[in-house]
Amino acid sequence: MVLSFKSWVANEGGKHFVLILWLGANTWLFLRTFLTYSTGQQYYYLYKMLGLGLCISRASASVLNLNCSLVLLPMCRSLLTCLRGTHTLSSRGTRRLLDKSKTFHVACGIAICIFSVVHVSAHLVNVVNFSAFYSEDLPALNLARYLGEDPRMIILTTVPGITGVLLVVILFLMFTASSYCIRLSNYEIFWYTHNLFIVFYIILMVHMVGGALKYQTNVDTHPPGCLRPNQSSPELQGEELEPGNEERRCKEEARFHPHYPQTWMWVSGPLCLYCAERFYRYIRSSDPVTIVTVIRHPSEVIEVRMLKGDFKAHPGQYIVLNCPGVSSFENHPFTLTTCPTEEKETFGVHMRVVGDWTERFTELLLPKTGVELEILPMVQQRRYPKLYVDGPFGSSSQEVFNYEVSLCVAGGIGVTPFACVLHALLDGWKQFRLRRLYFVWVCRELQSFYWFSELLCALHHKLWQENRPDYLNLKLFVSQTEDLQSMSEEKYRPLSSRLSIGRPRWKLLFDEISNANRQKHVGVFCCGPKGISRTLHKLCNSGRYTGVTFEFNKESFS
Amino acid sequence: MGKIEWAMWANEQALAAGLILLTGGIVGVAGLFRGWEFAAYSIAAGVFVCLLEYPRGKKNKGTSVERTGQYCFTVCVKAFGPLTRNYYVRAFIHAALAVPAGFMLATVLGCVCLGIASLIYLGAAISGEQWEPILPRTETRKAVGESIKQPPQNPPPRPPAEMRRKRAEDLEGAAYDNPIKVSTNEE
């Protein structure tokens, strides 16, 4: 596929720009610290003793400071949701960068791991050099107490050494539990080890106490490399003393002072911000919600409608559910399918019952019956379990209304963010910038379409009544081609006539959209399997559609 | 909620620890530091641990994700039978391998990491987990006769030919009941 520069810049330019900025900041910090330690006058003696290990360890330490402070910022989800909603970030391109916050967090985390390895290796070399080059002239400078002290004893008997070992152990635990495989299968291991970050940061802030590396405080009275009173310069042996030599005599002994710990200056701001955010989220979610309705839908989906005081959400946002009756510490994200409005204060989620948490949650909500569409009103004596809701948190699907033309592609249960969008359009479509919506929904079974069949038909009907038949373009696809199915109900005629068997052909779809919407920016939103989103992403970057720019936005849960 | 599979985490840790041992060993041998024999040992230990831990085990529930190209390693590891299947044995092997690496500065980190992995393996063994190889599923081919439904033996019921021919004078009589209801396409 031909890569067009304009499309690539529109889709990938923003995040690559941020990546280059970040790499540049890291490189600049590394080089600046390296040069300070290798050429600085106050480090002359230390550099002579330790060599390159000093410069590399300190340079990597400063890069670690930067990354440890940056790594927390993308995880302040409420703050990012706020930024997304308000008009502080008025440019759509800047808001798109917020979609990549988790990727940035991972990049900083990997940088922390790599530079920790560099830092630890360089310090191990330093410790060996401290032990090997112990000189009686400069006892204050040396971390070792005598020549040839065992480096392992040096590590275990100093504060930086012990804290360093603990930091490495915690980082090792966090890093090994963060792989994709573990997050997929045993999310709890990942979550609990990652929460060790607070221990990591506390130890990090005391890591430099008892300073191992010292700088010279009296460079002006004792220029490094000056001659001691009883020393003679090797070059001038046999020559007469010249007047200029007086300057090369030391006026006093070199004095050394350990560094003031700097890490807290970098790290305390983001750490306080993140802790404040966690505290705020805890307070906000401490009120349990009232479950109003539970509906069982075909294909193992249940809908839960809830009520919570003072809860406001926008279409496309997601909430995190915690049910102590199922599991005290597990939190699961679900996209909202109905948002609270002025008329109706209830909000709802659709959840697919796959996995032990959802199975157990469904058992607590509904009795085991064979009836498919069962509605249990609140009047009935039913004790619903206590449920806590954290959120709402922003996601990329909120941008659907900010494009003139949007293409929403949903795979199976991935339709949930767009269902909320459709609900909002049902209440009123004129106030948004959106003028045309292409809605593609691919499901394995026909029964899945019944989750939102009423909503789709109602919206279709309303738009036709208001003389905007081109506003909503529905395309439904059933990907399993074995059993021939059809929606035979009369009221779902708009759906059955737009239903196709087989997988969608994306190139044709994009051709159709670009022909009908020239010179426009089309927002492409995908919530579904990786295969579909990869294909769409490539098509958006391909740039074969002259005059039309497709901007790709992917919904992903973190 | 749900049983946590500790072995998967221990596997990731052991693989990472093997790599750390390998790196530390290479540095120790390259610089010919004091105690470089321990570094040489830890190169060998690191390679062995990496080979042992590279094939991922099968998950009890759900789909298991393989590491790229792990099939040949799976076959080798499977060949050792209960020695590799049992996690108590693995915990012991890792603990034993880790100890000599602690005597040299360059490899001491690898020793600590492998020790932690060995502890987690012990935890996995205590909770009764075992290493199952991920083998490709043999596709069961359905017999062709079962998948193709029985072709019908008789033709569909139709009235005789002279009744089916449309007679201009008697259109009503020529009509017959369709078995499937035909409806017009309303817009």
Side-chain angles (χ1 to χ4, degrees):
Chain A
M1 227 165 283
V2 175
L3 209 63
S4 152
F5 187 64
K6 185 164 161 243
S7 295
W8 189 88
V9 167
N11 275 303
E12 318 286 329
K15 61 186 188 206
H16 282 82
F17 177 66
V18 170
L19 179 71
I20 290 177
L21 270 183
W22 174 72
L23 283 175
N26 280 310
T27 314
W28 176 79
L29 207 54
F30 189 91
L31 287 175
R32 191 186 83 148
T33 321
F34 190 94
L35 288 172
T36 311
Y37 278 84
S38 60
T39 57
Q41 288 292 306
Q42 68 270 40
Y43 299 114
Y44 177 80
Y45 291 111
L46 198 59
Y47 183 63
K48 256 189 13 175
M49 195 186 289
L50 297 176
L52 216 54
L54 168 74
C55 307
I56 293 182
S57 66
R58 294 304 305 152
S60 53
S62 57
V63 169
L64 279 174
N65 279 337
L66 175 69
N67 282 304
C68 283
S69 66
L70 286 179
V71 81
L72 286 172
L73 295 175
M75 289 294 119
C76 300
R77 294 221 195 112
S78 305
L79 183 66
L80 293 182
T81 307
C82 213
L83 277 178
R84 213 190 263 271
T86 60
H87 292 289
T88 37
L89 294 183
S90 53
S91 151
R92 193 171 57 208
T94 336
R95 282 199 299 270
R96 277 184 80 218
L97 289 175
L98 292 178
D99 296 345
K100 290 284 156 196
S101 50
K102 189 181 96 155
T103 316
F104 185 66
H105 174 85
V106 170
C108 288
I110 293 181
I112 290 177
C113 288
I114 293 177
F115 281 100
S116 296
V117 171
V118 171
H119 180 80
V120 167
S121 319
H123 267 316
L124 287 179
V125 171
N126 286 346
V127 162
V128 168
N129 282 336
F130 265 138
S131 160
F133 294 128
Y134 184 85
S135 95
E136 294 294 335
D137 295 331
L138 304 162
L141 191 58
N142 205 313
L143 192 61
R145 281 171 282 261
Y146 50 86
L147 183 65
E149 183 179 7
D150 189 358
R152 282 167 296 169
M153 289 314 296
I154 301 179
I155 293 177
L156 290 175
T157 52
T158 52
V159 171
I162 301 179
T163 48
V165 168
L166 285 174
L167 285 172
V168 166
V169 167
I170 295 180
L171 193 64
F172 176 70
L173 289 176
M174 282 171 72
F175 177 67
T176 49
S178 313
S179 72
Y180 173 67
C181 205
I182 303 249
R183 270 182 288 139
L184 199 63
S185 50
N186 295 310
Y187 194 79
E188 302 90 15
I189 298 180
F190 164 72
W191 181 243
Y192 296 141
T193 44
H194 246 62
N195 276 314
L196 288 173
F197 78 96
I198 190 75
V199 180
F200 182 86
Y201 275 94
I202 293 175
I203 299 182
L204 187 66
M205 289 200 269
V206 300
H207 182 52
M208 284 250 311
V209 165
L213 298 173
K214 304 186 176 76
Y215 64 97
Q216 186 183 345
T217 44
N218 55 350
V219 182
D220 41 352
T221 49
H222 177 113
C226 66
L227 301 166
R228 293 226 172 68
N230 52 357
Q231 233 180 358
S232 63
S233 166
E235 303 140 21
L236 296 176
Q237 268 174 2
E239 286 180 24
E240 290 188 9
L241 267 176
E242 290 171 20
N245 273 347
E246 298 299 320
E247 290 161 18
R248 295 191 63 198
R249 294 273 161 197
C250 306
K251 295 196 188 71
E252 56 180 25
E253 285 293 312
R255 279 202 292 268
F256 299 101
H257 191 78
H259 278 108
Y260 189 58
Q262 266 191 347
T263 311
W264 70 272
M265 291 194 292
W266 288 90
V267 153
S268 51
L271 189 63
C272 287
L273 190 66
Y274 184 71
C275 290
E277 140 108 25
R278 285 285 286 264
F279 187 63
Y280 167 70
R281 273 164 54 182
Y282 174 73
I283 298 289
R284 189 171 61 167
S285 65
S286 56
D287 261 338
V289 295
T290 328
I291 300 183
V292 173
T293 331
V294 179
I295 308 171
R296 197 195 285 270
H297 287 285
S299 296
E300 312 242 332
V301 162
I302 64 165
E303 179 184 351
V304 183
R305 294 262 176 116
M306 307 166 257
L307 197 62
K308 185 175 174 181
D310 215 19
F311 182 83
K312 293 191 183 26
H314 298 285
Q317 291 183 329
Y318 67 96
I319 54 174
V320 174
L321 294 183
N322 174 290
C323 184
V326 176
S327 162
S328 335
F329 295 115
E330 281 189 30
N331 299 304
H332 291 260
F334 294 101
T335 316
L336 288 168
T337 44
T338 30
C339 290
T341 55
E342 281 131 18
E343 293 94 43
K344 212 160 72 129
E345 278 188 22
T346 54
F347 57 96
V349 293
H350 278 64
M351 61 173 80
R352 213 168 126 229
V353 183
V354 54
D356 44 11
W357 191 90
T358 35
E359 274 172 15
R360 183 90 188 94
F361 189 54
T362 316
E363 271 169 40
L364 289 179
L365 290 175
L366 290 171
K368 276 194 168 38
T369 57
V371 179
E372 293 228 313
L373 288 169
E374 178 184 328
I375 304 176
L376 298 172
M378 210 165 62
V379 181
Q380 243 187 350
Q381 273 290 333
R382 179 149 193 97
R383 311 286 254 110
Y384 286 128
K386 247 191 187 169
L387 189 63
Y388 295 96
V389 156
D390 189 10
F393 299 112
S395 80
S396 57
S397 311
Q398 285 177 260
E399 290 292 312
V400 175
F401 299 115
N402 294 332
Y403 286 90
E404 265 192 57
V405 181
S406 287
L407 164 65
C408 296
V409 175
I413 193 64
V415 74
T416 39
F418 309 126
C420 207
V421 165
L422 296 176
H423 265 121
L425 288 176
L426 195 61
D427 286 334
W429 54 269
K430 293 201 176 84
Q431 71 265 30
F432 300 121
R433 193 174 160 191
L434 185 66
R435 287 282 157 261
R436 189 172 283 175
L437 176 64
Y438 289 86
F439 185 70
V440 176
W441 188 6
V442 187
C443 282
R444 275 214 197 106
E445 310 168 320
L446 189 78
Q447 297 293 313
S448 315
F449 293 122
Y450 286 104
W451 303 335
F452 295 110
S453 46
E454 267 112 19
L455 169 65
L456 289 169
C457 290
L459 185 61
H460 170 91
H461 189 71
K462 172 185 157 124
L463 288 167
W464 276 66
Q465 295 290 86
E466 299 187 9
N467 201 21
R468 283 301 300 268
D470 62 329
Y471 195 97
L472 178 66
N473 298 282
L474 267 178
K475 292 183 205 305
L476 306 178
F477 292 87
V478 178
S479 55
Q480 246 180 18
T481 50
E482 272 122 31
D483 314 308
L484 270 182
Q485 309 156 58
S486 67
M487 289 172 110
S488 46
E489 292 94 341
E490 181 59 38
K491 56 179 172 158
Y492 298 140
R493 184 56 78 88
L495 301 185
S496 57
S497 56
R498 286 164 175 79
L499 177 68
S500 314
I501 313 285
R503 297 225 170 104
R505 283 146 78 196
W506 302 112
K507 282 202 187 123
L508 294 181
L509 178 69
F510 272 61
D511 282 339
E512 179 195 325
I513 296 179
S514 63
N515 283 334
N517 300 285
R518 299 253 177 203
Q519 306 299 328
K520 294 249 182 0
H521 280 259
V522 178
V524 178
F525 297 86
C526 177
C527 184
K530 281 207 173 106
I532 296 184
S533 71
R534 259 188 229 133
T535 318
L536 290 177
H537 200 166
K538 267 198 243 168
L539 274 175
C540 291
N541 279 345
S542 70
R544 30 183 276 158
Y545 311 102
T546 46
V548 178
T549 319
F550 288 94
E551 282 182 25
F552 184 70
N553 301 279
K554 191 174 81 134
E555 167 91 36
S556 73
F557 284 125
S558 32
Chain B
M1 183 82 245
K3 216 157 164 316
I4 294 183
E5 290 193 39
W6 295 101
M8 191 175 276
W9 187 27
N11 171 271
E12 300 274 331
Q13 287 190 333
L15 192 61
L19 288 171
I20 296 175
L21 265 181
L22 187 62
T23 319
I26 290 177
V27 164
V29 165
L32 279 178
F33 293 115
R34 189 176 58 191
W36 66 272
E37 297 89 5
F38 289 111
Y41 156 80
S42 68
I43 293 181
V47 169
F48 173 72
V49 165
C50 285
L51 289 175
L52 175 64
E53 298 292 339
Y54 190 72
R56 234 182 229 139
K58 202 159 150 194
K59 268 185 357 192
N60 282 334
K61 245 173 43 162
T63 45
S64 318
V65 180
E66 276 193 344
R67 291 202 176 100
T68 38
Q70 81 167 35
Y71 180 63
C72 36
F73 296 98
T74 313
V75 168
C76 296
V77 173
K78 183 168 166 271
F80 286 93
L83 275 181
T84 44
R85 211 182 323 135
N86 193 315
Y87 283 142
Y88 281 110
V89 174
R90 274 205 202 193
F92 177 71
I93 289 179
H94 288 322
L97 284 175
V99 167
F103 290 108
M104 204 223 162
L105 185 65
T107 54
V108 85
L109 257 180
C111 162
V112 170
C113 295
L114 197 56
I116 296 176
S118 145
L119 280 174
I120 310 272
Y121 262 129
L122 189 64
I126 291 174
S127 60
E129 296 173 30
Q130 268 199 334
W131 187 81
E132 302 280 338
I134 303 178
L135 295 166
R137 258 199 321 216
T138 47
E139 300 277 331
T140 49
R141 295 201 170 231
K142 280 194 287 199
V144 177
E146 288 166 33
S147 59
I148 296 179
K149 293 187 174 46
Q150 276 283 2
Q153 308 287 342
N154 300 314
R158 283 186 195 146
E162 52 260 4
M163 277 196 70
R164 269 183 279 135
R165 228 181 297 124
K166 268 209 200 118
R167 280 174 289 179
E169 60 272 12
D170 188 11
L171 282 172
E172 295 253 343
Y176 57 89
D177 280 326
N178 272 325
I180 301 175
K181 193 168 170 305
V182 171
S183 58
T184 55
N185 216 11
E186 285 155 21
E187 282 313 316

